[in-house]
Amino acid sequence: MDYSQFFRENYDVLLTIMNGFDIGIWITDGEGNVIMVNDRSLKGGKVSREELMGRNMVELVETGYVIHESSVLKAIDSGKQESIIQELGEGGYCLATSTPLFYKGKTNIVLCVERNISEVAKTRDLLTQQQILTEKFGMQLAEQTKGNGMEREEMIAHDISTIRLREKAIQIGKIDATVIIIGESGTGKEIVADLIYHNSDRKGNPFIKVNCAAIPDTLIESEFFGYEAGAFTGASQNGKAGLFEMAQGGILFLDEIGELPLLMQSKLLRILQDKTVRRIGGEKEISVDVRIIAATNRNLKDAMENGSFRSDLYYRLFVVPIEIPPLRKRREDIAPLAHSFLSQFNELYGMKKTLNADAISALESYSWPGNVRELRNVIERLAISGAGSDISKFQVQMCLGNKEDLSVDMMLADGEETTLEELVKEYEKHIIARCIEKYGNATEAAKRLKVNKSTISRKMKKYKI
């Protein structure tokens, strides 16, 4: 049958029928010349039907109406059905499938069907992003759970409240009960969890640390419970064990537990009660022997009252609560912590820095809203930004941003003999160092301070910045 002739003779009737389909339809003759195109294919196009009729697909590719390539031309060349994914002129993607029909041994017409797959492409991209997030989280988890042979940070305790806290953590370690550690951000909740683990009967078994606030909501269930092979699109062919299975026989440390979604709180409660988990897509219950240590910087009682934290989970977790006081309430720990951190950074950076007595006094008089974490960061900044081996009170005050009565404090500091010239040099050195740190190089620092670059370079050499 001469299909080309049939379509030309019955054009109006066939076009009406094809306009009823919610897919794009093109029909060309055996040479690739357009003989029919329905309304769906014209939607968002650059030209009208009249402008397309009779034009060859080669010309349409060259003029950009059909982007990159044409499945019609591929079908004419191969003599068989061809499919390609094309970009749409209005944005998005479509799957174009062209099928040749033959008459007397030659391609007579080509039927091309277009299906918009933009949503499919978006779903594919989302799955790719989720896979990337899963791999990233997996690497972070692997880094946190390399094993129990890695060095741990010792708990420094000189203040009486911290000494009692350490004793309590050691005692609790021997009791196989759920623990919740409460304290402001940066107080050292993870260090207390380490202390409990290393004094428990589970020492040597897995100790997995998880920041609940860092896991994307879309991954949280699969990370905690794992999944079976083929449980969802994009799932590993081998399935995956969850955190509870990975922590079998050991301890699972759930930091920032107050950030868990309510649905996840409900499932966590069930695990604590039943001691079993079920993988996503799985049918069997897996028994787990895991001790939970949770931590939070939120007031979970308030969260429970306002409905953002389950009351039954709250009472299940508060079997053995440990509260860590903020650094401002245990000032006797500040000096030993500062010396310990400085010793670490001296070793790390190959330096021999020391803190004088007045510098320690300045550290002890600060309120430390960021707690131990802030102290550590400040000590590192002092270690690497100042010239000379001795860290002074002036440097501490400048680092902490304490400018009130600064010059008077410097001049009247007990036991600190200095001259105006030395103070001016110290101040100049600090300003240049801060500018270099802020603006990245001597050229930009010189512009900011309105001096020649050579002046900055000379003073950097003089002060060993």
Side-chain angles (χ1 to χ4, degrees), residues 273-296:
Q273 292 171 336
D274 300 343
K275 305 294 184 183
T276 61
V277 296
R278 180 187 295 176
R279 291 185 180 185
I280 296 174
E283 296 181 357
K284 66 176 183 178
E285 298 286 345
I286 302 170
S287 296
V288 289
D289 173 25
V290 176
R291 182 181 182 184
I292 298 294
I293 300 177
T296 182

Side-chain angles (χ1 to χ4, degrees), residues 104-326:
K104 294 183 178 180
K106 293 183 179 181
T107 301
N108 186 249
I109 65 169
V110 179
L111 302 177
C112 177
V113 176
E114 297 175 329
R115 296 178 180 85
N116 193 314
I117 58 168
S118 299
E119 291 304 316
V120 175
K122 287 179 184 177
T123 303
R124 179 198 62 201
D125 291 342
L126 286 172
L127 284 170
T128 301
Q129 292 173 22
Q130 181 156 327
Q131 280 185 320
I132 292 170
L133 282 172
T134 302
E135 290 169 5
K136 180 179 178 182
F137 180 71
M139 287 188 289
Q140 291 174 344
L141 183 61
E143 190 68 26
Q144 289 180 329
T145 58
K146 282 180 179 176
N148 304 320
M150 63 182 185
E151 292 185 16
R152 65 189 180 96
E153 193 170 342
E154 293 295 331
M155 184 175 179
I156 294 172
H158 285 248
D159 192 279
I160 187 64
S161 63
T162 318
I163 292 171
R164 288 173 178 166
L165 172 67
R166 182 171 62 185
E167 291 173 351
K168 184 177 181 180
I170 292 171
Q171 290 175 341
I172 289 172
K174 298 175 172 60
I175 304 168
D176 204 37
T178 301
V179 178
I180 185 159
I181 306 169
I182 309 156
E184 294 178 7
S185 180
T187 49
K189 296 185 285 294
E190 186 175 331
I191 293 174
V192 174
D194 282 342
L195 189 61
I196 294 171
Y197 168 76
H198 283 279
N199 286 277
S200 74
D201 293 336
R202 294 176 183 263
K203 180 182 177 182
N205 292 331
F207 180 33
I208 296 182
K209 304 174 184 179
V210 184
N211 186 336
C212 298
I215 309 176
D217 288 349
T218 54
L219 300 180
I220 195 164
E221 190 169 355
S222 62
E223 292 300 333
F224 271 83
F225 308 133
Y227 55 82
E228 297 291 353
F232 50 85
T233 305
S236 168
Q237 294 297 319
N238 301 318
K240 180 178 179 293
L243 294 170
F244 281 91
E245 288 183 72
M246 294 168 65
Q248 186 73 270
I251 291 177
L252 183 59
F253 175 53
L254 303 177
D255 198 8
E256 304 297 352
I257 195 167
E259 305 304 318
L260 279 180
L262 281 169
L263 179 60
M264 192 62 202
Q265 291 176 28
S266 175
K267 294 185 177 184
L268 175 61
L269 177 66
R270 188 184 66 79
I271 295 172
L272 293 175
Q273 292 171 336
D274 300 343
K275 305 294 184 183
T276 61
V277 296
R278 180 187 295 176
R279 291 185 180 185
I280 296 174
E283 296 181 357
K284 66 176 183 178
E285 298 286 345
I286 302 170
S287 296
V288 289
D289 173 25
V290 176
R291 182 181 182 184
I292 298 294
I293 300 177
T296 182
N297 59 11
R298 293 181 61 190
N299 187 323
L300 292 187
K301 191 171 183 180
D302 288 347
M304 176 182 66
E305 291 173 354
N306 66 33
S308 62
F309 199 83
R310 291 180 62 102
S311 59
D312 41 11
L313 179 59
Y314 174 88
Y315 293 117
R316 174 69 67 168
L317 291 173
F318 272 74
V319 177
V320 183
I322 296 180
E323 187 166 359
I324 306 177

Side-chain angles (χ1 to χ4, degrees), residues 342 346 350-356 379-392 395 425-426 429-430 433 459-465:
L342 185 58
N346 276 337
M351 301 182 299
K352 294 181 179 179
K353 295 292 182 76
T354 58
L355 285 158
N356 66 33
I379 295 300
E380 183 173 17
R381 200 179 317 147
L382 288 167
I384 64 178
S385 63
S389 61
D390 187 56
I391 297 173
S392 67
Q395 288 173 292
K425 285 181 180 178
E426 182 72 22
K429 175 183 69 176
H430 191 80
K459 291 184 181 292
M460 286 175 66
K461 186 176 181 180
K462 173 184 176 181
Y463 295 131
K464 299 179 181 179
I465 300 174

